[in-house]
């Protein structure tokens, strides 16, 4: 009897997150205060973020960090998510590879984002915060935060990237259903937004513009903290619940992955699935390959530069050491809104530099080809972001078909695409196109960067 | 430690469906051939339906029917669905009642419908059928069938009720993503559709009109079978997998339901959750209350008449003994498209007549009030259909609050509402209204019925 789905018993759920910083041979460089050029302290960060998140952000000592009992209780309400052997996809590809996916699409709100929204809101509540604010790209993070904020009785305001508001209007409705205020970014409600609109009235927005607006709202509103759904170290930490579960579930399946794959925007779902497995590479015990699948139209991992840069368009955040396309880079209007971000997180950037992982860039059409095949075989319509991970997994599986290797491939299905149906409709009617960024455009944005940040 | 979620191990999944017909003290009356006025045989039915489904439809002998091993394998890929204790909802209501829900919204395609789509397509495939056709209201059934047909390599054509195509355009996209042909009903592609449009050019469609068109396509297309997502006995049979699992899961929780609730369109999800528990009422061992929650705008259980009637608007189907509002009844354009059907299934109608269950009718606004509270507490946006079950459960929980009773309430969450966000948006902006059917309208439709069917 083929077993396809692996679920953990409640008492096997992880009680700690894994903090890869503590075990990296070269630690990530510190975030820097753009005024003083000094490394940021937890005190500095806690002006914007919850204090506990600020401490986690800079913790390079403790490899294991306790998940608060209250957060564990909330995790138990929906976790573990299933680890699934994709037999039908394997058969359709005719590959000897074994393909597994971790199904985060069955989480509340349909993606992995809830895993960090819960602890972030929990810490805010504990620390006496009454309001939270954030940015959202595709809307997965904003939706998750809206629900987590509602659970903990916090008011929630979300700046949603304008183009994705138009592409997937249902997502704003989801956030409003959970009681959040939703504003399209760039908006006229902040100084940052007004500046951007004044310069470029038709700016479609990006995660960078929305972060600027949300940070501005947080620092100008009493008792309000900013929360981020990706990029930062503490977000990656919370998401390791995914990979820690997957490790136990792969044991149930009697296998260990040769390749671990996730799509890549700021790094949250990639870190989540990858870091717990990568710790065995750091210790030299395993030699798993780690692949981050980014869109061809926003190729910071494969074609960006390692450099200190702002996390947002307006330059409100600390300077972060990132593989980046420059914080003024304006990504094309692809449907994978969650991947339209100019930079990679600090940990990831260091891991790439040190050769522990690498990126691949996926054209938009290839990502939807992959998503369609996955839907028609496995019965789940994947989010356009997740389609990039599937496409990278299919590339691996096809190369196994050529070589005859029985590689074990594990990818993270970060979310479902039910809110993204207009993008599938466009794909079906042949309207979707690829967007390749020119070398000149990357060069122009990155060289401006060297001017701005000395 | 509060346990909220109960999941069955793979080896505990049911291997048989429960056929309540075999144990009913009064058997349901037979379907009748409208021409000959003779009871239909399995041979008659198999002109339209898969042969195995036709046999199951009339089986009043075998209480347990084996689930084919191939269907069991497909069930294992996503089942069991979680049984969830709704602690957060209980707390918000301040009720002493214990509220549980069976979460069918995490199934592939987001509802319980896949449980019958898989066996129906399996039997069609086994019997050499190459094409299947069906109707769909909200689109949950059509989506599930599209996927099941794709798995078994069958071509699939779906007549979708026109008004719901407009209300939830994403659902058609979902069906097309799985390769189905989708046509709005009433359409000009069938004689039945043309007749309806000629009489009433603005007819919004209903399950009744869509069934007529799908049946017509099936009988005029070589090697094509019609499949139905509700109403019929074999569909109810397949759906009992829900309640059979729930019974074991309630044992894990150490409780037994005092009240079992589901929303009601044609009866598929109601039968699924209720019949396995009801067998202990039939045997006299238990005295559970069974409540079917129907919309106020389509009140066949609470205000309809028990009478032979057609299952569709054009009068193509056999005559069925049903609680009905008349097959020409035109339900209001509520968002719960899956509940816009004029009649109840044959088994259900007999069970109501014999006092084993009863209906309640829920106004549209009350259903959305309930759905909003559920979303904000439990984190799942329910389908507008499922909102009716939640509303009925809340009524019970509130009456427990008054009496102090610690009743155990179990309801079926038949599907999620992510494709239905425009309805939530209308609710949030105060645009939704109630539709109460007048006594005159019901009287007019039912009396026409007596004219037509002698």
């Amino acid at each position: 009897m083929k077993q396809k789905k692996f679920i953990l018993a409640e008492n096997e759920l992880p009680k700690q997150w894994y903090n890869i910083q503590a075990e990296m041979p070269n630690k990530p460089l510190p975030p820097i205060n753009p005024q003083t050029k000094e490394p940021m302290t937890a005190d500095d960060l806690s002006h914007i973020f919850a204090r506990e998140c600020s401490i986690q952000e800079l913790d390079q000592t403790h490899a294991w960090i306790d998940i608060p009992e209250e957060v564990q209780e909330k995790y138990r309400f929906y976790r573990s998510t299933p680890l699934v052997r994709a037999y039908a996809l394997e058969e359709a590809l005719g590959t000897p590879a074994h393909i597994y996916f971790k199904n985060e699409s069955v989480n509340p709100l349909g993606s992995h984002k809830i895993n960090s929204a819960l602890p972030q809101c929990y810490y805010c509540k504990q620390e006496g915060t009454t309001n939270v604010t954030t940015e959202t790209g595709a809307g997965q993070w904003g939706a998750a935060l809206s629900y987590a904020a509602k659970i903990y009785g916090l008011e929630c305001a979300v700046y949603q990237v304008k183009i994705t508001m138009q592409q997937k209007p249902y997502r704003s409705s989801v956030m409003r259903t959970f009681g959040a205020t939703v504003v399209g970014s760039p908006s006229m409600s902040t100084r940052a937004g007004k500046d951007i609109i004044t310069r470029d009235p038709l700016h479609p927005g990006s995660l960078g513009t929305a972060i600027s607006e949300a940070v501005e709202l947080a620092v100008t509103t009493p008792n309000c903290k900013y929360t981020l759904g990706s990029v930062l170290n503490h977000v990656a930490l919370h998401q390791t619940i995914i990979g820690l579960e997957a490790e136990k579930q792969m044991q149930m399946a009697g296998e260990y992955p040769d390749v671990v794959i996730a799509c890549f925007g700021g790094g949250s779902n990639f870190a989540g699935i990858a870091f717990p497995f990568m710790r065995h590479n750091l210790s030299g015990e395993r030699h798993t390959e780690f692949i981050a699948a980014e869109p061809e139209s926003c190729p910071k991992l494969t074609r960006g530069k390692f450099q200190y840069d702002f996390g947002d368009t307006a330059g409100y955040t600390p300077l972060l050491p990132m593989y980046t396309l420059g914080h003024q880079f304006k990504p094309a209007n692809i449907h994978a809104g969650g991947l339209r971000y100019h930079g990679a997180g600090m940990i990831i950037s260091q891991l790439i530099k040190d050769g522990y992982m690498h990126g691949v860039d996926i054209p938009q059409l290839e990502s939807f080809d992959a998503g369609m095949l996955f839907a028609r075989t496995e019965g789940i319509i994947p989010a356009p972001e997740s389609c990039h991970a599937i496409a990278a997994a299919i590339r691996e599986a096809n190369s196994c078909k050529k070589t005859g290797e029985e590689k074990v491939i594990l990818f993270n299905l970060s979310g479902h695409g039910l809110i993204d149906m207009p993008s599938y409709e466009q794909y079906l009617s042949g309207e979707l196109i690829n967007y390749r960024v020119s070398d000149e455009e990357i060069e122009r944005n990155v060289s401006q960067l060297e001017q701005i940040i000395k």
Side-chain angles (χ1 to χ4, degrees), chain A:
Chain A
M1 184 173 97
K2 282 187 193 176
Q3 189 170 357
K4 185 179 162 96
K5 202 178 59 165
F6 302 88
I7 303 269
L8 295 180
E10 206 157 276
N11 58 14
E12 292 173 303
L13 293 181
K15 295 182 174 15
Q16 296 182 306
W17 293 303
Y18 173 60
N19 178 23
I20 198 172
Q21 289 192 80
E23 301 191 334
M24 289 165 69
N26 300 311
K27 305 298 177 198
L29 299 175
I32 280 180
N33 181 319
Q35 275 77 48
T36 65
K37 301 289 192 298
E38 292 295 318
M40 305 281 286
T41 64
D43 275 348
D44 297 335
L45 293 172
S46 65
H47 291 302
I48 307 181
F49 302 105
R51 172 142 201 96
E52 193 59 34
C53 293
S54 306
I55 293 168
Q56 291 171 351
E57 186 64 22
L58 300 178
D59 187 337
Q60 301 191 335
T61 314
H62 305 93
W64 297 96
I65 293 184
D66 288 344
I67 306 172
E69 177 50 46
E70 259 206 57
V71 173
Q72 282 189 51
E73 187 187 311
K74 297 283 187 293
Y75 277 174
R76 280 196 297 269
F77 289 176
Y78 65 96
R79 306 204 66 90
S80 68
T81 59
L83 176 79
V84 183
R85 172 82 182 264
Y87 284 114
L89 177 62
E90 287 172 20
E91 195 183 314
L93 294 170
T95 178
H98 297 191
I99 307 177
Y100 292 84
F101 63 92
K102 179 73 168 161
N103 187 359
E104 292 291 308
S105 81
V106 295
N107 287 339
L109 285 309
S111 85
H112 69 293
K113 293 293 191 186
I114 189 73
N115 303 330
S116 184
L118 286 170
Q120 289 196 51
C121 287
Y122 168 76
Y123 291 129
C124 283
K125 182 69 179 179
Q126 287 293 101
E127 296 167 16
T129 296
T130 56
N131 291 51
V132 288
T133 175
T134 199
E135 84 298 330
T136 197
Q140 303 266 31
W141 168 248
L145 190 77
S146 302
Y147 170 53
K150 178 54 73 185
I151 288 182
Y152 288 109
L154 305 168
E155 290 298 318
C156 178
V158 180
Y159 285 92
Q160 184 178 13
V161 175
K162 216 181 256 175
I163 180 71
T164 58
M165 256 180 131
Q166 291 158 16
Q167 285 169 339
K168 31 196 117 182
Y170 287 20
R171 194 80 77 187
S172 324
S173 305
V174 170
M175 293 184 260
R176 278 192 286 271
T177 297
F178 288 103
T181 302
V182 186
V183 184
S185 173
S187 78
M188 296 298 279
S189 72
T190 61
R191 206 193 60 194
K194 278 184 271 199
D195 284 355
I196 296 163
I197 291 175
T198 307
R199 269 201 321 273
D200 183 355
L202 296 178
H203 196 301
S206 70
L207 283 165
T209 70
I211 293 174
S212 295
E213 296 204 85
V215 170
E216 183 178 326
L217 183 68
V219 297
T220 56
T221 305
N223 221 1
C224 179
K225 293 292 180 188
Y226 170 67
T227 67
L228 188 62
S230 191
V231 182
L232 295 177
N233 303 343
H234 66 274
V235 183
L237 174 73
H238 303 156
Q239 293 294 354
T240 58
I241 188 84
I242 301 173
L244 292 168
E245 285 181 4
E247 196 185 350
K248 292 186 182 191
Q249 290 166 311
M250 289 297 305
Q251 275 168 18
M252 291 169 73
E255 307 220 65
Y256 192 91
D258 297 305
V259 191
V260 174
I261 298 170
C263 65
F264 196 92
S268 75
N269 96 92
F270 178 87
I273 188 93
F275 288 178
F277 289 100
M278 202 183 281
R279 77 182 200 275
H280 304 300
N281 278 31
L282 295 178
S283 71
E285 181 195 342
R286 294 278 187 180
H287 301 281
T288 302
E289 185 181 357
F290 294 92
I291 303 175
E294 64 182 3
E296 182 190 41
S297 56
C298 197
K300 65 241 177 195
L301 301 181
T302 51
R303 298 167 66 202
K305 192 171 170 186
F306 186 73
Q307 153 95 40
Y308 267 99
D309 192 5
F310 289 108
D312 68 320
T313 305
Y316 286 165
T317 69
L319 287 168
L320 305 172
M322 317 198 286
Y323 274 91
T324 181
L325 299 165
H327 64 281
Q328 302 264 356
F329 179 77
K330 212 167 78 181
N333 299 340
I334 58 165
H335 283 281
L339 309 185
R340 295 176 70 250
Y341 186 65
H342 64 279
M346 293 180 283
I347 295 176
I348 299 280
S349 295
Q350 189 64 46
L351 289 169
I352 290 192
K353 212 157 174 290
D354 292 345
Y356 286 105
M357 56 174 284
H358 64 97
V360 293
D361 59 332
I362 309 280
Q364 177 161 255
L365 282 171
E366 183 183 344
S367 74
F368 276 92
D369 289 344
M372 283 295 289
L373 180 63
F374 183 78
R376 289 181 174 196
T377 50
E378 298 295 326
I380 304 165
I381 297 181
E385 291 81 7
S386 313
C387 288
H388 290 72
I390 300 169
I394 289 176
R395 284 188 188 178
E396 288 296 311
N398 282 339
S399 92
C400 286
K401 192 175 174 179
K402 280 187 199 133
T403 62
E405 281 175 288
E406 277 192 28
K407 274 193 190 171
V408 177
I409 301 168
L410 167 65
F411 72 87
N412 194 36
L413 183 72
S414 54
H416 67 65
L418 288 175
I419 299 279
D420 305 276
M421 290 319 298
S423 63
Y424 281 87
E425 202 57 71
Q426 279 193 21
Y427 171 85
L428 288 166
S429 55
E431 289 166 27
L432 281 194
I433 56 168
N434 290 331
Y435 300 90
R436 189 170 168 82
V437 192
S438 69
D439 291 336
E440 294 69 35
E441 191 181 342
I442 294 176
E443 186 49 38
R444 182 162 39 81
N445 274 282
V446 176
S447 62
Q448 280 178 353
L449 198 62
E450 282 161 22
Q451 294 282 315
I452 298 163
I453 302 149
K454 294 230 175 61

